[in-house]
Amino acid sequence: MQTETVLVCSTAHFTVEDNQLLSTMATQDLFSSWVLNVEYGYIIVLTNYRYRLLLLKSQGASKALRKFLIIQIKCQRVNYVHFDCDADILPECEIFEW
């Protein structure tokens, strides 16, 4: 049986520009299989994460968002990040007021 790790955290860990970008990406065929728009945020699927981080960078995702994802992948070994506006803010991670 395969086990996947999901991190649920606040949307405050990315910028308002990232929010707009993720909203757009979630509606495009190229990205909609791994950037999912949910009721109060987004789910990002991090399998094949190197390629996906490069795509995020090429689309204009902030360095803060990409760094946050890398830290979660490498240190916490997460496979999915569920950003929710009502979720907890992670200590020692950058936050944005928007």
Side-chain angles (χ1 to χ4, degrees), residues 2-98:
Q2 182 174 342
T3 303
E4 302 288 340
T5 305
V6 178
L7 170 70
V8 179
C9 61
S10 175
T11 55
H13 291 296
F14 58 76
T15 67
V16 67
E17 293 82 13
D18 290 324
N19 183 59
Q20 294 166 347
L21 174 66
L22 293 173
S23 178
T24 300
M25 289 176 76
T27 64
Q28 297 175 348
D29 289 340
L30 179 62
F31 311 110
S32 63
S33 65
W34 59 275
V35 178
L36 309 167
N37 193 341
V38 293
E39 190 169 2
Y40 297 107
Y42 304 93
I43 296 174
I44 299 179
V45 181
L46 295 170
T47 55
N48 194 9
Y49 72 90
R50 287 183 178 96
Y51 173 72
R52 292 181 176 172
L53 287 172
L54 286 173
L55 281 175
L56 283 170
K57 182 178 182 179
S58 73
Q59 295 302 304
S62 70
K63 187 174 183 177
L65 173 59
R66 292 181 284 119
K67 181 180 175 183
F68 177 84
L69 293 173
I70 289 168
I71 289 169
Q72 302 316 311
I73 292 164
K74 300 224 179 216
C75 297
Q76 305 300 324
R77 299 190 180 274
V78 299
N79 303 103
Y80 300 85
V81 175
H82 180 176
F83 289 106
D84 187 299
C85 65
D86 294 323
D88 293 335
I89 291 173
L90 302 178
E92 300 183 19
C93 291
E94 189 171 12
I95 58 170
F96 300 89
E97 300 288 332
W98 52 278

